[in-house]
């Protein structure tokens, strides 16, 4: 998760942009902060999906193979670190 101070700064820069008072340096800062925010958000969503098991109404595991492979890769990496 992105630090609260960075999120607050993103919001502050957004308000300045709406007011038309955003400088070129602040525009660069805003772009960098947004990229960092998007990267963090995607990572959180990816982690959530990789830790989710999908069950159909019959109680069968229907988790997509791609997610199962990612779990296996993550487990192998974790075992290698131990």
């Amino acid at each position: 998760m992105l630090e609260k101070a960075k999120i607050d700064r993103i919001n502050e820069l957004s308000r300045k942009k709406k007011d038309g008072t955003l400088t070129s340096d602040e525009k660069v800062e805003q772009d960098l902060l947004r990229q960092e925010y998007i990267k963090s958000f995607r990572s959180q969503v990816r982690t959530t999906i990789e830790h989710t098991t999908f069950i159909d109404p019959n109680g069968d595991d229907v988790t997509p193979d791609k997610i199962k492979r990612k779990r296996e890769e993550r487990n192998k990496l974790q075992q290698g670190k131990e």
Side-chain angles (χ1 to χ4, degrees), residues 23-62:
T23 66
S24 59
D25 288 342
E26 289 172 332
K27 174 69 174 146
V28 171
E29 179 185 6
Q30 182 184 40
D31 289 341
L32 292 173
L33 287 170
R34 282 182 174 172
Q35 288 173 12
E36 185 177 350
Y37 176 82
I38 290 169
K39 183 178 178 183
S40 173
F41 179 82
R42 286 179 177 163
S43 175
Q44 289 174 13
V45 170
R46 188 173 293 115
T47 299
T48 299
I49 290 172
E50 289 175 2
H51 285 89
T52 301
T53 300
F54 298 88
I55 306 294
D56 71 5
N58 297 325
D60 298 323
D61 182 354
V62 293

